[in-house]
Amino acid sequence: MNLVILGPQGSGKGTQAEKLAQKFDLEHIDMGKFLREVAVLGSPLGKEIHEIINVRKELVDDKILKKVLHLKLQDLSREKGIIFDGVPRKQDQLEYFEAAMVEFGRHIDKIIYIKLSEKESVERISKRRICDKCKKVYIFGRDIEREDEKCLDCNGNIIHRIDDTPEGVKKRLGIFETETMPIVEYYKKQGKTIEISGGQGVEKVFEDILGELGDIE
Ligand SMILES: [Zn+2]
C-alpha cells in the first residue's frame, strides 16, 4: 500500500502519517526529516544539502528533492508500503514523483487530504512550538506548559517560529491553495483522493481515515 497525505498547516497530517505507518507497517517518508538525515552524512549530496538547509537556511530545489527521493526509494524493499508525508506538494514535483513510482514498481493507492478551515489552522498554529534542533512539534497547553521547556527527544530548545503568526499562516495557506490543491484535484479525478475533516480530535480523524481506506491492502 502506497499512500500520500496532504493537508494545510496545523491539519495534523504528520501525526496521522505516523499512526498510519505504525498501523500498516509503512515507511513514513517525511521529506523535510529525510533531508536533515541526509545532510549529516558525509556524502557529496549530504554536504550539498547541509550547505543549503543549515548554512544558507534556504529550501532545496526540485533537482535535489528528486535525487533524495530516488535515494530513499532505492534503499527500500519493494514489498514495504509507503506513506508520503507532504509530497508531492506542487505540480513540478508531480511529474518526477510519478516517474519515480513507475521506476520502482509502485503506484499510489490513495491520497488522504485533511481539510481544515483557515480559522482552525490559525488557531492551531499560534499554539504550535517546534524544537529548533530535531523539529519535533509541540502544542502549547497540551504538550508543554512553559515556554522554556526542553525537547523531550533531544533536549533542544523549543521555540515559537517567527512565521507562525496569523499572517504567516495565511500566507502559507494561500500557497497550499494555489500549489497543493491542484495535486489533490489531480488525484481526485482518478478517484484516489479521500477527504477527511481535520477539525476533530486526533483519534477521530484517524478513525475516519481508516474507515475511508476500507479494505485496500
Ligand atoms: Zn528535539
Side-chain angles (χ1 to χ4, degrees):
M1 174 159 67
N2 295 285
L3 305 171
V4 170
I5 190 162
L6 299 171
Q9 288 262 303
S11 63
K13 69 177 172 56
T15 304
Q16 297 297 331
E18 206 117 288
K19 289 173 79 69
L20 287 161
Q22 259 174 25
K23 170 103 182 162
F24 297 108
D25 189 29
L26 306 173
E27 181 77 9
H28 177 190
I29 301 187
D30 170 341
M31 288 301 255
K33 193 173 167 210
F34 188 54
L35 280 167
R36 290 192 295 278
E37 286 168 16
V38 178
V40 298
L41 303 177
S43 63
L45 181 61
K47 283 178 185 163
E48 193 181 352
I49 295 170
H50 169 75
E51 176 68 25
I52 299 167
I53 67 172
N54 297 326
V55 181
R56 304 209 308 261
K57 309 242 180 223
E58 289 170 358
L59 294 172
V60 298
D61 61 18
D62 283 316
K63 218 175 98 196
I64 288 181
L65 274 179
K66 187 178 169 181
K67 276 190 204 165
V68 168
L69 181 66
H70 258 250
L71 201 67
K72 187 77 192 181
L73 292 173
Q74 233 166 31
D75 285 348
L76 218 55
S77 146
R78 297 207 179 184
E79 284 72 50
K80 180 93 170 169
I82 299 174
I83 178 147
F84 292 96
D85 181 351
V87 64
R89 69 173 79 222
K90 54 181 181 168
Q91 199 72 38
D92 300 348
Q93 293 173 356
L94 186 62
E95 279 168 41
Y96 66 75
F97 180 81
E98 287 283 338
M101 288 297 105
V102 172
E103 187 182 339
F104 292 95
R106 295 177 178 272
H107 74 277
I108 295 299
D109 295 293
K110 291 284 178 193
I111 301 283
I112 301 160
Y113 163 46
I114 305 187
K115 285 190 290 188
L116 196 68
S117 71
E118 179 180 297
K119 185 171 169 281
E120 282 168 312
S121 188
V122 169
E123 270 174 23
R124 288 187 180 186
I125 295 303
S126 61
K127 287 188 218 155
R128 186 171 78 162
R129 303 294 183 271
I130 192 164
C131 169
D132 70 350
K133 210 162 138 197
C134 75
K135 314 294 175 195
K136 185 181 170 82
V137 171
Y138 293 89
I139 303 299
F140 194 77
R142 186 190 77 186
D143 307 321
I144 55 166
E145 300 290 331
R146 299 190 330 265
E147 293 287 358
D148 59 351
E149 286 183 46
K150 297 283 183 187
C151 176
L152 292 171
D153 287 357
C154 76
N155 205 38
N157 291 319
I158 297 173
I159 58 162
H160 193 191
R161 289 193 348 181
I162 203 148
D163 53 348
D164 279 353
T165 58
E167 296 70 34
V169 176
K170 281 176 193 165
K171 190 177 157 203
R172 280 174 284 166
L173 288 178
I175 294 171
F176 183 86
E177 195 61 41
T178 54
E179 292 189 346
T180 311
M181 280 312 286
I183 307 294
V184 172
E185 294 300 327
Y186 169 84
Y187 284 108
K188 196 185 237 172
K189 283 190 194 120
Q190 299 180 10
K192 290 182 175 177
T193 298
I194 58 179
E195 289 191 12
I196 303 290
S197 167
Q200 327 176 75
V202 170
E203 293 306 325
K204 182 70 175 78
V205 172
F206 189 54
E207 203 176 285
D208 285 1
I209 294 173
L210 295 183
E212 288 287 337
L213 285 178
D215 50 15
I216 68 157
E217 260 314 311

